[in-house]
């Protein structure tokens, strides 16, 4: 069993498509299929269910995938530790980022990194906070720009920014013309609210506010992400509270308005693992921390 076979298997397990996986690892698809079949023969069990329509992992394949990701991460980690001990400069940094950071603090961070480490290779992956935290924990990501969470485990976190939640209203809505909006002005409006699988602090805050002001019955639509919320608002189907970063969305068809009685801010910060041996890691974290903005 070779490491390259494990990496080929992981590529197929993540893409669930042999053609895309072959392109990802830069080998011919027949060669990739041969490596996976050889791996299955050595293990004595099938790792994939193949059909003309799709590729799926077997239960054995799911378990093997988890183990392979850990093995490959350990190999990468060992290489980084060796370089760090030898005093080698950083060669690559892998960054995970939520969308608000991608368009907000990330460009300034990348500019500073590029000036200080001109030869560094940077890989950026977008995702939600949960995905980025898992990437930091298993060593697939060195630095993550995430929303604060109540339990970040063994990771380290530094806050760098806060932004307000404002009322998003379609430009055709009567509230778009008002200079000042009170929460009582929402009583005649249909409300769009978040309803995620895992109840977030944001949801709890607004659910409590809607209940306090007897607005729960006004909730007409629900969604689990900000893009969906502003799409519903832009369609004129209702109003909803959205973070300030949405003001920078292209072709925006809504206005953001402050509401008296609503004072909610959401944080943004940088997270990293204290066990990450990446050379110059502390310096990179300090660069990220330097992007901190005062609370408005």
């Amino acid at each position: 069993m070779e490491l390259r076979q494990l990496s080929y298997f992981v590529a197929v397990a993540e893409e669930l498509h042999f053609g895309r996986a072959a392109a990802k690892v830069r080998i011919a698809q027949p060669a990739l299929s041969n490596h996976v079949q050889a791996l299955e023969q050595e293990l004595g069990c099938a790792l994939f269910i193949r059909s003309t329509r799709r590729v799926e992992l077997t239960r054995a394949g799911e378990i093997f995938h988890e183990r392979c990701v850990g093995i490959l991460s350990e190999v990468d980690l060992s290489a980084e530790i060796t370089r760090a001990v030898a005093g080698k400069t950083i060669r690559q940094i892998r960054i995970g980022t939520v969308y608000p950071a991608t368009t907000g603090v990330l460009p300034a961070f990348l500019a500073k990194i590029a000036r200080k480490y001109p030869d560094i290779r940077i890989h950026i992956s977008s995702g939600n906070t949960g995905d980025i935290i898992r990437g930091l924990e298993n060593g697939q990501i060195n630095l993550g720009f995430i929303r604060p969470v109540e339990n970040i485990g063994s990771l380290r976190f530094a806050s760098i920014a806060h932004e307000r939640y404002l009322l998003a209203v379609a430009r055709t809505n009567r509230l778009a013309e008002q200079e000042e909006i009170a929460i009582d002005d929402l009583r005649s409006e249909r409300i769009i609210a978040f309803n995620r699988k895992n109840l977030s602090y944001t949801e709890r805050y607004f659910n409590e506010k809607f209940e306090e002001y007897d607005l729960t019955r006004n909730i007409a639509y629900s969604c689990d992400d900000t893009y969906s919320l502003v799409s519903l608002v832009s369609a004129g189907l209702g109003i909803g509270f959205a973070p300030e970063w949405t003001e920078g969305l292209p072709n925006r068809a809504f206005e953001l308005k402050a509401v008296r009685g609503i004072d909610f801010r959401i944080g943004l910060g940088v997270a990293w693992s204290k066990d990450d041996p990446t050379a110059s890691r502390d310096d990179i974290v300090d660069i990220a921390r330097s992007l901190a903005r005062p609370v408005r």
Side-chain angles (χ1 to χ4, degrees):
M1 192 178 299
E2 302 175 7
L3 279 178
R4 62 173 178 171
Q5 287 180 316
L6 301 187
S7 64
Y8 293 159
F9 162 73
V10 168
V12 179
E14 292 177 349
E15 296 292 335
L16 293 179
H17 190 283
F18 278 84
R20 289 195 298 268
K24 184 176 181 179
V25 297
R26 296 184 175 88
I27 67 170
Q29 183 174 335
L32 176 65
S33 297
N34 289 338
H35 279 292
V36 173
Q37 288 172 2
L39 194 56
E40 289 177 316
Q41 289 173 1
E42 184 172 350
L43 291 169
C45 62
L47 298 173
F48 296 101
I49 301 171
R50 302 165 175 85
S51 71
T52 56
R53 300 180 64 181
R54 60 182 177 178
V55 175
E56 296 179 86
L57 282 166
T58 63
R59 179 57 183 157
E62 291 175 358
I63 298 299
F64 192 60
H65 174 249
E66 292 177 9
R67 303 291 296 179
C68 285
V69 168
I71 291 168
L72 294 172
S73 294
E74 280 298 318
V75 171
D76 290 339
L77 187 60
S78 298
E80 289 294 340
I81 290 174
T82 303
R83 293 190 195 102
V85 169
K88 298 296 183 181
T89 57
I90 186 170
R91 298 197 316 174
Q92 181 182 32
I93 181 171
R94 294 158 296 183
I95 301 168
T97 173
V98 294
Y99 182 80
T102 305
T103 57
V105 299
L106 189 61
F109 173 74
L110 295 176
K112 288 187 175 186
I113 289 291
R115 283 196 296 270
K116 188 152 190 177
Y117 300 100
D119 297 326
I120 193 173
R121 288 183 290 127
I122 299 174
H123 177 77
I124 299 172
S125 57
S126 297
N128 60 45
T129 292
D131 292 337
I132 294 169
I133 287 175
R134 284 189 289 274
L136 290 167
E137 289 174 335
N138 63 31
Q140 292 183 315
I141 295 175
N142 304 116
L143 197 73
F145 289 95
I146 65 171
R147 294 298 194 189
V149 295
E150 293 180 355
N151 182 12
I152 201 165
S154 62
L155 300 180
R156 297 292 181 263
F157 177 82
S159 177
I160 58 177
H162 289 81
E163 60 181 332
R164 295 176 298 167
Y165 262 75
L166 301 172
L167 185 69
V169 299
R171 288 176 174 159
T172 55
N173 189 296
R174 62 179 182 85
L175 295 177
E177 304 298 325
Q178 291 187 206
E179 290 295 326
E180 292 188 356
I181 299 175
I183 199 163
D184 285 337
D185 293 327
L186 311 187
R187 296 192 184 281
S188 60
E189 299 290 329
R190 289 175 297 178
I191 294 175
I192 302 162
F194 289 119
N195 183 17
R196 299 184 176 98
K197 182 184 299 183
N198 297 315
L199 190 65
S200 67
Y201 180 61
T202 305
E203 283 174 88
R204 286 199 296 269
Y205 174 85
F206 284 108
N207 286 345
E208 289 171 4
K209 283 294 180 181
F210 294 151
E211 186 173 349
E212 177 185 350
Y213 288 94
D214 196 27
L215 291 171
T216 303
R217 69 185 70 182
N218 289 56
I219 298 176
Y221 301 92
S222 63
C223 55
D224 61 6
D225 66 272
T226 301
Y227 289 116
S228 299
L229 186 143
V230 297
S231 293
L232 289 163
V233 170
S234 298
L237 299 179
I239 59 172
F241 288 93
E244 284 181 283
W245 65 262
T246 57
E247 192 168 22
L249 289 174
N251 304 316
R252 182 168 56 91
F254 59 91
E255 299 292 339
L256 293 177
K257 297 282 188 175
V259 177
R260 292 198 309 275
I262 296 292
D263 184 17
F264 181 78
R265 288 171 169 79
I266 188 168
L268 179 70
V270 58
W272 67 97
S273 171
K274 63 182 179 63
D275 298 322
D276 184 351
T278 302
S280 306
R281 182 205 66 192
D282 291 342
D283 188 30
I284 290 168
V285 170
D286 286 340
I287 291 173
R289 281 172 158 168
S290 73
L291 305 172
R293 301 194 298 260
V295 179
R296 290 183 289 178

